[in-house]
Amino acid sequence: MHMADTRIEHEAGGWNIDFIGDGGDAGSVKVADGHAVSADEALERAKAVMVQLTGYGTRGGGRSLNSYDAVSNGNFDDDEPPLLDTRH
């Protein structure tokens, strides 16, 4: 699915974020008010949830192979370092 649009709506008790693909497919994430006070925070939280779900149905439905994969959103152009608790 290639992302075409994102819709964010505030409802009673939380946020509903719809990720809509160019072919009409969509995925939704609900973010509780306690986890986001703004649309921007809700979107970031929803993206993090989607990253955690990417392993669903792969590797036997197991967790990511390492902590970097678990927190990576695939955007390597950000100037911010990843939030990892990894020691080498």
Side-chain angles (χ1 to χ4, degrees), residues 5 7 16 20 24 29 52 55:
D5 194 13
R7 294 189 187 135
N16 187 40
I20 302 163
V29 176
Q52 294 299 317

Side-chain angles (χ1 to χ4, degrees), residues 40-86:
D40 289 337
E41 285 182 18
L43 179 59
E44 290 306 310
R45 177 81 174 185
K47 287 179 182 179
V49 168
M50 293 295 286
V51 167
Q52 294 299 317
L53 292 175
T54 58
Y56 182 75
T58 61
R59 300 185 198 112
R63 298 176 58 99
S64 294
L65 294 177
N66 59 55
S67 60
Y68 179 81
D69 287 345
V71 299
S72 174
N73 68 0
N75 185 354
F76 300 109
D77 296 330
D78 285 343
D79 292 334
E80 298 177 19
L83 300 175
L84 301 176
D85 189 23
T86 305

Side-chain angles (χ1 to χ4, degrees), residues 13-45:
W15 300 85
N16 187 40
I17 296 88
D18 296 321
F19 298 99
I20 302 163
D22 56 1
D25 292 335
S28 296
V29 176
K30 293 189 184 274
V31 176
D33 275 338
H35 293 286
V37 296
S38 69
D40 289 337
E41 285 182 18
L43 179 59
E44 290 306 310
R45 177 81 174 185

